[in-house]
Amino acid sequence: ISPLKTITNLLLLDDIGWCPADEVSIIDYAGTADTNNITINRNSHKIQGDASNLTISTERAGFTLVYVDATQGWLLKDK
């Protein structure tokens, strides 16, 4: 993926069938998220218990999301 444009990751595809404890790691490899945001599209699954997409705008951000259940959806593994 080009670091020169805004990136949208379609993280949560409904037909995959996410299970509790599934994990996805995101890293701003190019260090450009401050000017080229990374958007995690929730595709009907919650992120941090919220029904909105997640936007990363911090340079060199890196984190892991773990799927918990349909109520909370994806939660940050570490804080």
Side-chain angles (χ1 to χ4, degrees):
I1 299 174
S2 170
L4 303 177
K5 62 183 177 181
T6 299
I7 300 167
T8 300
N9 290 329
L10 297 178
L11 172 65
L12 309 172
L13 301 176
D14 289 327
D15 59 350
I16 288 179
W18 296 104
C19 297
D22 282 350
E23 295 183 3
V24 176
S25 294
I26 311 294
I27 298 172
D28 178 21
Y29 168 82
T32 60
D34 58 336
T35 54
N36 299 294
N37 296 166
I38 301 167
T39 301
I40 309 302
N41 188 330
R42 66 183 198 86
N43 284 341
S44 80
H45 296 272
K46 292 180 179 178
I47 300 176
Q48 292 288 102
D50 193 25
S52 4
N53 294 335
L54 175 64
T55 301
I56 295 93
S57 59
T58 302
E59 223 177 80
R60 300 277 181 211
F63 57 90
T64 299
L65 293 171
V66 60
Y67 187 76
V68 179
D69 59 27
T71 302
Q72 292 297 313
W74 293 87
L75 298 177
L76 288 170
K77 184 173 181 179
D78 300 310
K79 285 192 172 192

